[in-house]
């Protein structure tokens, strides 16, 4: 039986199959076309960048750090180039074994290994870390010849920071150090532009001007776009954006004056701040003892860190900025001004100084327990009467004293361009309530006010605050913000820009009251406690000596320096400005545990004034006498300050450091 097929049905089924197949093919080609459009059009830029990144690498170019100069163009922080031997831990299987093998080729000390271990703990595994710095040419040649033995270890040429004058002005200049983990974490919150500027940078300012002016000194990071092979080797440089060196920062500091003051302190501890009251410029900012900032550049070793950190003299403490002291009798001129401003007393009001002052059953002694008889404002400052100011403090009260002293910057942040300034303590009833947790300690007792009048009690200020208050008094009530930054100089075009400062503020004090206090301070140098120190001076200065307790001595106990340990003896203080009628310099100084202010602090102030006003520099015998606390007026014939060489024999020049001849401004 023959089966007849339906040709029409077969043809219809065939057409359906062809149509389905055609649609399927069309769909596949559409998907391919869509994918091609997506890859070549939509993701063109992204994929091109990825392809380019496989072919190229972008390497940061770290900028040269800017110089730091004093007001006369003397370089206080410079750079020099040297070779460094560095290890990338991620590229080394056994780092310790590799270091031991490397020690057979390059001299690697135990301190180098300890420093590397610390850096490794603080850094990422793929960071390049120094195991030895400042390689000699012979060491470089020796390693290069055996380079094949040490994968993951390279020699790099880097710029190193150098502080030519070592310990001089170290607290002001500060130092740079390697960026640690905590700082890297903080940098992650920076704007992307700022983060990019620190790619490839291993160091940043840690203290002083290096820290405060980091953004000026760092410069702008550049980039090299490198073509690489499949194995990651550099083939050629495709493009370069050069780095812009950091700006030079010019300070108000006079480094020769700074060095003179540090030399006059000798081995004694203390602080000195000298300001120009006309504009707030800091001429000297001394903290003794000092330290060598060069120790920190490559990472300080354990021995030196222990020596600095555990020393009883606390060389790392910036005493001018962070050390707080009772002002002692240097507070009396300001208390006298408060008496006149409040109307509690006139300049002629006399108080009978019997050698002590009674408050209830408590006896507040005067120095030497000897009465001065009737004393008015002038005599109370010239002869430094305690009784006059005991009674005055009681009349004013703690809050009135606080409110008057606050605008003078006592117990306040002055706003100087250094980080880490402390407030100290300008006491008030409100302050005590916040300072103590126990209710019985929060109450202010009237008897606590009495000792505030002579600069004791809870009073605790920095020498910066005391110098600022003295400068305001010298400037007859006009306050300038103290500052160390004078100007910046562009590293490329050498254009100098002054660093802007806030406008001066007039405290609107009564000028007659101020002249009465200034007259009394002039009397201190003419017939008072610092007469011998300023004998024969070619100018008239105004000052006030002070002796402040380092530890409390009971009212019934007698102060005997021979029975006290050295660090428990009284501090020697002095505040002054000169010339008295048109001041050019105001100063505050403390010599710790040295005793009477006229014997130790005032002689240093005299020679600072002679330097600034007369261009005089003490001779060697006079300098030695000041160091030992045996000087009053200058001994012998002083040298001409401008002719005294300031360059240390072991201090490299800026040309040697940077390879660039300084500009006339830098010289």
């Amino acid at each position: 039986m023959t089966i007849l097929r339906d040709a029409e049905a077969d043809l219809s089924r065939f057409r359906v199959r062809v149509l389905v197949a055609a649609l399927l093919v069309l769909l596949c080609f559409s998907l391919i076309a869509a994918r091609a459009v997506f890859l070549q059009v939509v993701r063109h830029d992204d994929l091109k960048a990825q392809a380019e990144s496989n072919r190229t690498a972008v390497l940061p170019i770290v900028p040269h750090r800017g110089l730091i100069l004093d007001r006369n163009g003397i370089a206080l922080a410079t750079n020099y180039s040297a070779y460094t031997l560095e290890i990338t831990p991620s590229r080394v299987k056994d780092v310790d074994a590799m270091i031991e093998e490397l020690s057979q080729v390059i001299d690697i000390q135990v301190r180098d290994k300890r420093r590397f271990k610390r850096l490794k703990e603080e850094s990422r595994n793929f960071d390049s870390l120094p195991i030895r710095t400042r390689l000699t040419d012979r060491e470089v040649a020796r390693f290069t010849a055996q380079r094949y033995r040490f994968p993951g270890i390279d020699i790099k040429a880097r710029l190193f920071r150098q502080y030519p004058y070592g310990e001089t002005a170290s607290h002001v200049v500060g130092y740079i150090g390697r960026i640690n983990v905590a700082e890297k974490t903080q940098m992650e919150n920076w704007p992307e532009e700022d983060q990019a500027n620190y790619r490839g940078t291993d160091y940043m300012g840690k203290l002083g001007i290096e820290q405060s002016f980091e953004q000026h000194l760092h410069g702008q990071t550049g980039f090299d776009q490198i073509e690489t092979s499949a194995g990651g080797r550099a083939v050629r440089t495709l493009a370069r954006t050069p780095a812009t060196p950091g700006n030079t920062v010019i300070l108000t500091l006079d480094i020769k004056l700074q060095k003179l003051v540090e030399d006059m302190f000798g081995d004694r501890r203390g602080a000195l701040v000298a300001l120009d009251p006309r504009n707030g410029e800091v001429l000297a900012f001394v903290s003794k003892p000092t330290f060598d900032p060069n120790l920190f550049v490559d990472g300080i070793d354990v021995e030196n860190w222990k020596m600095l950190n555990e020393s009883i003299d606390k060389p790392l403490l910036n005493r001018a900025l962070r050390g707080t002291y009772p002002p002692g009798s240097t507070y009396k001129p300001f208390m006298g001004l408060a008496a006149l401003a409040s109307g509690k007393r006139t300049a002629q009001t006399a108080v009978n100084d019997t050698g002590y002052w009674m408050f209830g059953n408590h006896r507040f002694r005067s120095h030497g327990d000897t009465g001065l008889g009737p004393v008015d404002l002038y005599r109370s400052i010239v002869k430094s009467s305690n009784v006059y100011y005991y009674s005055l403090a009681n009349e004013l009260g703690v809050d009135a004293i606080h409110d008057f002293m606050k605008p003078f910057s006592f117990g306040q942040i002055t706003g100087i361009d250094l980080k880490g300034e402390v407030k100290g303590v300008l006491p008030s009833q409100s302050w005590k309530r916040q300072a103590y947790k126990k209710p019985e300690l929060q109450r202010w007792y009237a008897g606590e006010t009495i000792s505030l009048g002579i600069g004791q009690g809870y009073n605790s200020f920095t020498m910066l605050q005391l110098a600022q208050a003295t400068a305001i008094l010298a400037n007859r009530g006009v306050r300038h913000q103290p500052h160390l930054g004078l100007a910046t100089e562009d590293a490329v075009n050498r254009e100098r820009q002054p660093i802007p400062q806030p406008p001066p503020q007039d405290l609107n004090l009564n000028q007659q009251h101020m002249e009465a206090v200034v007259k009394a301070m002039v009397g201190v140098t003419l017939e008072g406690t610092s007469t011998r120190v300023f004998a024969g001076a070619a100018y008239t200065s105004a000052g006030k000596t002070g002796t402040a307790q380092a530890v409390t001595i009971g009212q019934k106990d007698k102060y005997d320096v021979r029975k006290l340990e050295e660090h428990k003896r009284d501090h020697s203080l002095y505040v002054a400005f000169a010339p008295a009628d048109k001041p050019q310099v105001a100063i505050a100084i403390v010599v710790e545990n040295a005793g009477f202010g006229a014997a130790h602090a005032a002689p240093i102030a005299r020679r600072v004034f002679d330097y600034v006003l007369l261009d005089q520099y003490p001779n060697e015998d006079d300098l030695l006498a000041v160091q030992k606390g045996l000087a009053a007026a200058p001994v012998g014939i002083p040298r001409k300050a401008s002719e005294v060489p300031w360059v240390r024999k072991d201090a490299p020049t800026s040309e040697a450091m940077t390879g660039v001849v300084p500009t006339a401004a830098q010289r």
Side-chain angles (χ1 to χ4, degrees), residues 35 201 214 227 240 246 268 313 334 337 355 400 448 458 495 550 557:
R35 184 62 178 171
T201 300
E214 170 68 24
E227 183 178 6
R240 163 169 286 198
R268 298 173 294 180
D313 292 333
F334 304 98
L337 194 59
E448 295 176 312
Y458 290 111
E495 181 179 345
D557 299 325

Side-chain angles (χ1 to χ4, degrees), residues 336-570:
L337 194 59
L340 300 178
S342 65
K344 295 290 185 181
R345 293 180 183 175
T346 68
Q348 293 74 37
T349 302
V351 173
N352 187 32
D353 185 341
T354 60
Y356 62 91
W357 193 75
M358 297 298 298
F359 181 78
N361 296 322
H362 194 80
R363 180 187 180 106
F364 288 87
R365 298 186 317 200
S366 189
H367 44 72
D369 297 324
T370 303
L372 297 173
V375 292
D376 58 7
L377 176 69
Y378 179 87
R379 199 157 184 264
S380 73
I381 293 176
V382 172
K383 297 300 181 182
S384 200
S385 168
N386 281 358
V387 170
Y388 185 95
Y389 293 98
Y390 285 146
S391 61
L392 174 60
N394 183 55
E395 293 172 35
L396 289 171
V398 60
D399 287 337
I401 296 173
H402 171 276
D403 294 345
F404 182 81
M405 297 299 179
K406 184 177 179 180
F408 282 88
S409 295
F410 286 114
Q412 311 301 311
I413 298 296
T414 66
I416 192 171
D417 44 3
L418 285 180
K419 294 184 179 180
E421 181 183 4
V422 300
K423 288 183 65 174
V425 176
L426 178 62
S428 66
Q429 294 189 65
S430 174
W431 164 82
K432 197 176 184 190
R433 285 193 296 269
Q434 296 176 10
Y436 294 93
K437 294 182 179 180
K438 295 182 179 180
E440 62 271 22
L441 297 177
Q442 293 178 338
R443 179 184 172 188
W444 185 271
Y445 296 93
E448 295 176 312
T449 307
I450 311 305
S451 57
L452 299 182
I454 63 167
Q456 294 287 168
Y458 290 111
N459 286 324
S460 185
F461 311 127
T462 66
M463 283 304 105
L464 173 59
Q465 292 169 349
L466 197 53
Q468 171 73 336
T470 305
I472 293 171
L473 184 58
N475 214 29
R476 305 313 194 259
V478 177
R479 179 175 62 198
H480 292 269
Q481 183 168 295
H483 57 277
L484 282 153
L486 182 62
T488 60
E489 184 176 279
D490 190 283
V492 178
N493 58 27
R494 301 299 182 187
E495 181 179 345
R496 183 173 292 198
Q497 292 288 341
I499 296 174
Q501 301 297 331
Q505 182 179 2
D506 193 337
L507 302 186
N508 296 315
L509 298 172
N510 186 297
Q511 294 301 305
Q512 290 183 340
H513 295 165
M514 301 200 73
E515 291 303 331
V517 171
V518 170
K519 179 181 178 182
M521 294 178 69
V522 170
V524 171
T525 66
L526 297 180
E527 54 177 309
T529 49
S530 61
T531 304
R532 291 179 60 245
V533 174
F534 285 89
Y539 50 84
T540 301
S541 66
K544 183 69 189 79
T545 55
T547 305
Q549 291 180 348
V551 294
T552 302
I553 303 295
Q555 288 292 329
K556 295 182 179 179
D557 299 325
K558 190 171 183 179
Y559 178 81
D560 188 345
V561 67
R562 296 169 298 180
K563 295 181 180 179
L564 290 174
E565 298 176 41
E566 191 268 345
H567 66 278
K568 293 183 178 180
R569 297 171 186 171
D570 290 348

Side-chain angles (χ1 to χ4, degrees), residues 1 51 183 188 195 248 369 430 448 451 507 514 610 623:
M1 178 177 176
E183 289 164 338
E188 292 176 358
Q195 291 188 48
T248 294
D369 297 324
S430 174
E448 295 176 312
S451 57
L507 302 186
M514 301 200 73
D610 288 352
L623 189 58

